[in-house]
CSV table of all heavy atoms in Angstrom, one decimal:
chain,number,residue,atom,x,y,z
B,156,LYS,N,-2.3,-43.2,-19.8
B,156,LYS,CA,-2.9,-44.5,-19.5
B,156,LYS,C,-4.0,-45.0,-20.5
B,156,LYS,O,-4.4,-46.1,-20.5
B,156,LYS,CB,-3.4,-44.6,-18.0
B,156,LYS,CG,-4.6,-43.7,-17.8
B,156,LYS,CD,-4.8,-43.7,-16.3
B,156,LYS,CE,-6.3,-43.9,-15.9
B,156,LYS,NZ,-6.6,-43.6,-14.6
B,157,PHE,N,-4.5,-44.0,-21.3
B,157,PHE,CA,-5.6,-44.4,-22.2
B,157,PHE,C,-5.0,-44.6,-23.6
B,157,PHE,O,-5.7,-45.1,-24.5
B,157,PHE,CB,-6.6,-43.3,-22.3
B,157,PHE,CG,-7.4,-43.1,-21.0
B,157,PHE,CD1,-7.2,-42.0,-20.2
B,157,PHE,CD2,-8.2,-44.2,-20.5
B,157,PHE,CE1,-7.9,-41.8,-19.0
B,157,PHE,CE2,-8.8,-44.0,-19.3
B,157,PHE,CZ,-8.7,-42.9,-18.5
B,158,ILE,N,-3.8,-44.3,-23.9
B,158,ILE,CA,-3.2,-44.4,-25.2
B,158,ILE,C,-3.1,-45.9,-25.6
B,158,ILE,O,-2.6,-46.7,-24.8
B,158,ILE,CB,-1.8,-43.6,-25.3
B,158,ILE,CG1,-2.2,-42.1,-25.2
B,158,ILE,CG2,-1.1,-44.0,-26.6
B,158,ILE,CD1,-1.0,-41.3,-25.0
B,159,GLY,N,-3.5,-46.2,-26.8
B,159,GLY,CA,-3.5,-47.6,-27.2
B,159,GLY,C,-4.8,-48.3,-26.9
B,159,GLY,O,-5.0,-49.5,-27.4
B,160,LYS,N,-5.7,-47.7,-26.1
B,160,LYS,CA,-6.9,-48.4,-25.8
B,160,LYS,C,-8.0,-47.8,-26.7
B,160,LYS,O,-8.0,-46.7,-27.2
B,160,LYS,CB,-7.3,-48.1,-24.3
B,160,LYS,CG,-6.5,-48.8,-23.3
B,160,LYS,CD,-7.2,-48.6,-21.9
B,160,LYS,CE,-6.3,-49.2,-20.8
B,160,LYS,NZ,-6.8,-48.9,-19.5
B,161,SER,N,-9.1,-48.6,-26.9
B,161,SER,CA,-10.2,-48.1,-27.7
B,161,SER,C,-11.1,-47.3,-26.8
B,161,SER,O,-11.1,-47.4,-25.6
B,161,SER,CB,-11.0,-49.3,-28.3
B,161,SER,OG,-11.7,-49.9,-27.3
B,162,LEU,N,-11.9,-46.4,-27.5
B,162,LEU,CA,-12.9,-45.6,-26.7
B,162,LEU,C,-13.8,-46.5,-25.9
B,162,LEU,O,-14.0,-46.1,-24.7
B,162,LEU,CB,-13.7,-44.8,-27.8
B,162,LEU,CG,-14.8,-43.9,-27.2
B,162,LEU,CD1,-14.2,-42.9,-26.2
B,162,LEU,CD2,-15.5,-43.1,-28.3
B,163,ALA,N,-14.3,-47.6,-26.4
B,163,ALA,CA,-15.1,-48.5,-25.7
B,163,ALA,C,-14.5,-49.0,-24.4
B,163,ALA,O,-15.0,-49.0,-23.3
B,163,ALA,CB,-15.6,-49.6,-26.5
B,164,ASN,N,-13.2,-49.4,-24.6
B,164,ASN,CA,-12.4,-50.0,-23.4
B,164,ASN,C,-12.1,-48.9,-22.3
B,164,ASN,O,-11.8,-49.3,-21.2
B,164,ASN,CB,-11.1,-50.6,-23.9
B,164,ASN,CG,-11.4,-52.0,-24.5
B,164,ASN,OD1,-12.4,-52.6,-24.2
B,164,ASN,ND2,-10.5,-52.4,-25.4
B,165,CYS,N,-12.1,-47.6,-22.7
B,165,CYS,CA,-11.8,-46.6,-21.7
B,165,CYS,C,-12.9,-46.4,-20.7
B,165,CYS,O,-12.7,-45.9,-19.6
B,165,CYS,CB,-11.4,-45.3,-22.4
B,165,CYS,SG,-9.8,-45.4,-23.3
B,166,ARG,N,-14.1,-46.8,-21.1
B,166,ARG,CA,-15.3,-46.7,-20.2
B,166,ARG,C,-15.4,-45.3,-19.5
B,166,ARG,O,-15.7,-45.3,-18.3
B,166,ARG,CB,-15.2,-47.8,-19.1
B,166,ARG,CG,-15.2,-49.2,-19.7
B,166,ARG,CD,-14.9,-50.3,-18.7
B,166,ARG,NE,-15.7,-50.2,-17.5
B,166,ARG,CZ,-16.9,-50.7,-17.3
B,166,ARG,NH1,-17.5,-51.5,-18.3
B,166,ARG,NH2,-17.6,-50.6,-16.2
B,167,PHE,N,-15.3,-44.3,-20.3
B,167,PHE,CA,-15.4,-42.9,-19.7
B,167,PHE,C,-16.7,-42.7,-19.1
B,167,PHE,O,-16.8,-42.1,-18.0
B,167,PHE,CB,-15.1,-41.9,-20.8
B,167,PHE,CG,-13.7,-41.8,-21.3
B,167,PHE,CD1,-13.4,-42.1,-22.6
B,167,PHE,CD2,-12.7,-41.5,-20.4
B,167,PHE,CE1,-12.1,-42.0,-23.1
B,167,PHE,CE2,-11.4,-41.5,-20.9
B,167,PHE,CZ,-11.1,-41.7,-22.2
B,168,ARG,N,-17.8,-43.1,-19.7
B,168,ARG,CA,-19.1,-42.9,-19.1
B,168,ARG,C,-19.4,-43.8,-17.9
B,168,ARG,O,-19.8,-43.3,-16.8
B,168,ARG,CB,-20.2,-43.1,-20.2
B,168,ARG,CG,-21.6,-42.6,-19.7
B,168,ARG,CD,-22.7,-43.0,-20.7
B,168,ARG,NE,-22.7,-42.2,-21.9
B,168,ARG,CZ,-23.4,-41.1,-22.0
B,168,ARG,NH1,-24.1,-40.7,-21.1
B,168,ARG,NH2,-23.4,-40.5,-23.2
B,169,ALA,N,-19.1,-45.1,-18.1
B,169,ALA,CA,-19.4,-46.0,-17.0
B,169,ALA,C,-18.5,-45.8,-15.8
B,169,ALA,O,-19.0,-45.7,-14.6
B,169,ALA,CB,-19.2,-47.4,-17.5
B,170,ASP,N,-17.2,-45.6,-16.0
B,170,ASP,CA,-16.3,-45.5,-14.8
B,170,ASP,C,-16.1,-44.1,-14.3
B,170,ASP,O,-15.8,-43.9,-13.1
B,170,ASP,CB,-14.9,-46.1,-15.2
B,170,ASP,CG,-14.9,-47.6,-15.4
B,170,ASP,OD1,-16.0,-48.2,-15.1
B,170,ASP,OD2,-13.9,-48.1,-15.8
B,171,TYR,N,-16.2,-43.1,-15.2
B,171,TYR,CA,-16.0,-41.7,-14.7
B,171,TYR,C,-17.2,-40.8,-14.8
B,171,TYR,O,-17.2,-39.7,-14.3
B,171,TYR,CB,-14.9,-41.1,-15.6
B,171,TYR,CG,-13.5,-41.8,-15.5
B,171,TYR,CD1,-13.2,-42.8,-16.4
B,171,TYR,CD2,-12.7,-41.6,-14.4
B,171,TYR,CE1,-12.0,-43.5,-16.3
B,171,TYR,CE2,-11.5,-42.3,-14.3
B,171,TYR,CZ,-11.1,-43.2,-15.2
B,171,TYR,OH,-9.9,-43.9,-15.1
B,172,GLY,N,-18.3,-41.3,-15.4
B,172,GLY,CA,-19.5,-40.5,-15.5
B,172,GLY,C,-19.4,-39.3,-16.4
B,172,GLY,O,-20.1,-38.3,-16.2
B,173,VAL,N,-18.4,-39.2,-17.3
B,173,VAL,CA,-18.3,-38.1,-18.2
B,173,VAL,C,-18.6,-38.5,-19.6
B,173,VAL,O,-18.5,-39.7,-20.0
B,173,VAL,CB,-16.8,-37.5,-18.2
B,173,VAL,CG1,-16.4,-37.2,-16.8
B,173,VAL,CG2,-15.8,-38.4,-18.9
B,174,ASN,N,-19.0,-37.5,-20.4
B,174,ASN,CA,-19.5,-37.7,-21.7
B,174,ASN,C,-18.5,-37.2,-22.8
B,174,ASN,O,-18.1,-36.1,-22.7
B,174,ASN,CB,-20.8,-36.9,-21.9
B,174,ASN,CG,-21.7,-37.3,-23.1
B,174,ASN,OD1,-21.2,-38.1,-23.9
B,174,ASN,ND2,-22.8,-36.7,-23.2
Side-chain angles (χ1 to χ4, degrees):
Chain B
K156 69 187 226 195
F157 298 112
I158 291 167
K160 288 190 185 171
S161 72
L162 177 57
N164 281 338
C165 289
R166 297 172 50 89
F167 290 119
R168 189 189 286 267
D170 291 354
Y171 298 96
V173 308
N174 193 358

